[in-house]
Amino acid sequence: WPGILPRATTLAEVLRDRGFATGAFTNYWYFDRTRHMDQGFDVYDNENARLHQGADPAHTRGSSSRQQTDKALGFVAAHASQRFFLWVHYYDPHHEYEAHPEVPSFGDGEVDRYDQEIRYTDLHVGRLLDDLKARGLWDKTIIVVTGDHGEGFGEHGRFQHDSVVYEEGLHIPMIVAGPGVKPGTRIGGLRSIVDIAPTVLEWLGTPDEA
């Protein structure tokens, strides 16, 4: 896959220029620095790529949610007194779907194991959010949780994810929390990952960069 063009300006670059400590914790081989996804990050750590095996990103084995959150907790501990921008990538809700004894089983089917992988990742995302609350940072932190694709389970004769544009592949979660956001608020209309950077910058009072 192609990388980010060096002339492109990332959200991390904008925020680092404004004094934010910036960190990213990724976990697969395609996040290698040769693709320039590290642009703007003071800390860029892809060490947990070793925990996922498979040349095809659509078919891998391994787990790293616990290890990803452990690294994120270390970054927050080191920068809790500063303004910081942190990107944590979670890979576990991904084919091949694997069982995790730490959380309840939903059954033995493919969808059941997929749901369990989501539940397992939720457990470790929750550890990070609980840490922000314990440090008194929750009420002044913008949180964005999203994905890059959905999964197919035979709805159009396709499984996992590929280049087709059916809703099961395109419909992803986008959950936002932070100062001024009323819990449970839903925004209508079409939204995309491309909206995240300008939204965050406007929220921080730097809309000119959008």
Side-chain angles (χ1 to χ4, degrees):
W1 294 270
I4 297 174
L5 290 174
R7 69 172 181 267
T9 302
T10 68
L11 182 57
E13 287 176 299
V14 174
L15 297 181
R16 186 176 64 180
D17 288 347
R18 278 156 178 71
F20 283 67
T22 57
F25 297 96
T26 57
N27 52 348
Y28 203 67
W29 60 262
Y30 57 58
F31 290 111
D32 187 276
R33 287 178 183 269
T34 59
R35 292 184 174 82
H36 308 292
M37 295 187 209
D38 61 340
Q39 287 177 200
F41 287 105
D42 301 315
V43 175
Y44 188 83
D45 183 338
N46 194 36
E47 181 188 25
N48 285 338
R50 62 187 171 81
L51 300 175
H52 294 277
Q53 296 81 43
D56 179 358
H59 305 279
T60 64
R61 294 196 63 80
S63 177
S64 62
S65 289
R66 176 176 59 80
Q67 292 86 348
Q68 286 295 93
T69 291
D70 288 346
K71 285 180 177 287
L73 291 173
F75 182 88
V76 173
H79 301 283
S81 63
Q82 304 171 252
R83 303 182 86 189
F84 63 82
F85 171 63
L86 173 62
W87 171 33
V88 189
H89 183 268
Y90 291 91
Y91 200 79
D92 285 354
H94 210 278
H95 193 267
E96 298 174 10
Y97 315 120
E98 300 171 48
H100 298 277
E102 297 91 337
V103 295
S105 171
F106 293 92
D108 296 325
E110 285 277 272
V111 175
D112 300 321
R113 287 194 299 273
Y114 178 58
D115 286 345
Q116 193 189 33
E117 294 240 78
I118 293 171
R119 178 65 183 83
Y120 178 71
T121 301
D122 180 76
L123 172 70
H124 292 289
V125 172
R127 289 172 53 217
L128 179 55
L129 301 184
D130 287 344
D131 185 69
L132 294 175
K133 293 173 183 176
R135 294 180 182 277
L137 299 177
W138 175 258
D139 291 333
K140 53 185 177 182
T141 301
I142 296 170
I143 309 289
V144 181
V145 179
T146 191
D148 62 330
H149 60 77
E151 291 283 78
F153 290 93
E155 292 89 343
H156 293 89
R158 312 300 284 260
F159 292 85
Q160 290 91 54
H161 61 279
D162 52 23
S163 57
V164 298
V165 291
Y166 293 118
E167 184 175 9
E168 57 266 22
L170 297 180
H171 189 186
I172 59 172
M174 188 179 290
I175 304 168
V176 179
V181 177
K182 182 180 178 181
T185 301
R186 286 182 172 269
I187 305 298
L190 186 64
R191 297 293 182 269
S192 169
I193 293 173
V194 75
D195 296 314
I196 292 175
T199 299
V200 169
L201 290 174
E202 183 175 357
W203 206 339
L204 294 171
T206 57
D208 292 346
E209 296 286 351

